Amino acid sequence: MIDFRYHLVSIISVFLALAVGIVLGAGPLQANLGDQLSDQVAALRTEKQGLNDKLTVSEKQVDASNEYATAVQQRVVRGRLTGHRAVVVVMPSADSTMVSNLETVVTQSGAALASTVTLSPDWFDPSQAADRAQAARDAAAALGLGSTATGDALLLEVLTDLMVSTTPTGTSAQRSAALKVLVDASLLDSTVADLAPSDLAIVVSGDYAGTESVVTARSDAVRALVTAFAGKSRATVVAGGETLAAAGQAVTSNAVQAVREKSETAQIVSTVDHAREGDGPATVVLAIEGSLDEKIGHYGVSAGATAKVPRVLP
């Protein structure tokens, strides 16, 4: 059996170890650990300050670059789209400042701005398919458009005929009536009641989010829309800004990404992914100019971009 002396030695050993630990902790080890921690904290503070200084400088450089781009924008785009007419098509959730900047640059380029047409969320809502189909039939009848298409396909025919057809259907009164049908159905808003057809289309991208299946269906609908515009216009460009991931959503995308991720649309529609500010609006005009010369490009810094900016033609 283990006698009392063994227990006594064990207890004494524990207390000796505890005492040594206390002495070392209060003495040389404490100083060493304290010095190390103080040095690390000081290094982290210095690093943080350096990063903050770099961020401040970068922000000032970006602001200066944006200010310069805005100052020279009119000279860069002046006369490049003279003789053309453009329609700005705004997707749901598109940035209003970006829309305003693109409207400005269109007129600076010499093109006539026919209208800004804003699509409502109902345009892409699967639960509104029956109401869209009825509105499409009513608008086609008002326009005098003979077509065998139905549902969303007919709706796209009506929309492209009103906006970008080179051989528009119906009289001015009929076209106004058809546009009113779509407005009254809460599918879109237009800045004009009498929409003159354009030969250029600028689609302003907006973010959308949800499950993978929801986003895939929305991207398919976006591609159908821009493909319809590309088929009827002389040039169609999709412009957007950086996509911001939606909290709690599995997938977030936008119209620019939708076009780029499928070669069928990427080969016929140019895109600009930094159109929100800086040189973005001018890049959109240059992208349109390139498209008119059958040079499709994808400009910016996001996935699928083929160049930062288009090559400037003399």
Side-chain angles (χ1 to χ4, degrees):
M1 293 180 61
I2 300 175
D3 59 21
F4 177 75
R5 286 177 298 177
Y6 178 84
H7 288 292
L8 183 61
V9 169
S10 297
I11 293 172
I12 292 172
S13 297
V14 169
F15 279 103
L16 282 174
L18 181 59
V20 170
I22 292 172
V23 170
L24 290 175
L29 285 182
Q30 182 190 42
N32 188 37
L33 290 174
D35 290 344
Q36 289 182 8
L37 289 174
S38 296
D39 291 344
Q40 290 178 0
V41 170
L44 288 173
R45 285 174 177 168
T46 301
E47 182 180 1
K48 178 184 176 182
Q49 186 59 50
L51 291 173
N52 284 336
D53 291 343
K54 289 182 179 179
L55 177 60
T56 300
V57 172
S58 296
E59 289 176 341
K60 289 180 178 179
Q61 290 174 339
V62 169
D63 289 342
S65 178
N66 288 341
E67 187 174 343
Y68 173 79
T70 301
V72 303
Q73 175 175 288
Q74 188 165 357
R75 292 189 179 186
V76 172
V77 304
R78 181 183 296 149
R80 291 186 180 275
L81 301 181
T82 298
H84 295 280
R85 185 188 300 273
V87 60
V88 175
V89 184
V90 183
M91 305 291 277
S93 77
D95 182 86
S96 59
T97 299
M98 181 165 55
V99 174
S100 177
N101 290 343
L102 291 173
E103 290 173 331
T104 298
V105 82
V106 164
T107 57
Q108 289 177 340
S109 72
L113 179 59
S115 176
T116 296
V117 175
T118 303
L119 302 183
S120 78
D122 287 351
W123 189 278
F124 299 101
D125 187 349
S127 68
Q128 300 297 316
D131 290 340
R132 286 198 302 273
Q134 183 60 54
R137 290 191 294 269
D138 294 343
L143 185 60
L145 177 66
S147 174
T148 58
T150 59
D152 286 343
L154 178 60
L155 187 62
L156 283 180
E157 284 193 23
V158 172
L159 187 69
T160 53
D161 194 293
L162 290 174
M163 292 189 182
V164 293
S165 176
T166 56
T167 56
T169 302
T171 63
S172 176
Q174 287 175 308
R175 296 174 62 77
S176 295
L179 179 62
K180 187 175 185 300
V181 169
L182 300 183
V183 172
D184 290 346
S186 299
L187 292 176
L188 56 80
D189 284 318
S190 174
T191 55
V192 299
D194 186 5
L195 186 58
S198 303
D199 62 329
L200 307 177
I202 300 174
V203 179
V204 187
S205 175
D207 294 349
Y208 48 89
T211 63
E212 185 173 354
S213 60
V214 167
V215 171
T216 296
R218 177 69 170 268
S219 294
D220 288 340
V222 169
R223 284 188 287 268
L225 177 73
V226 298
T227 298
F229 279 122
K232 292 291 187 178
S233 66
R234 292 192 59 192
T236 294
V237 171
V238 179
E242 182 180 357
T243 301
L244 301 176
Q249 299 294 335
V251 183
T252 303
S253 189
N254 63 26
V256 170
Q257 291 182 9
V259 170
R260 291 179 177 179
E261 65 190 16
K262 293 291 185 179
S263 60
E264 295 86 347
T265 46
Q267 292 173 357
I268 61 174
V269 177
S270 291
T271 60
V272 177
D273 65 38
H274 62 301
R276 184 170 283 117
E277 56 189 355
D279 63 352
T283 301
V284 172
V285 169
L286 297 177
I288 294 173
E289 186 180 41
S291 296
L292 289 170
D293 198 29
E294 299 183 355
K295 296 176 181 177
I296 302 300
H298 302 284
Y299 307 106
V301 295
S302 299
T306 55
K308 296 289 194 304
V309 295
R311 181 180 178 183
V312 178
L313 302 175

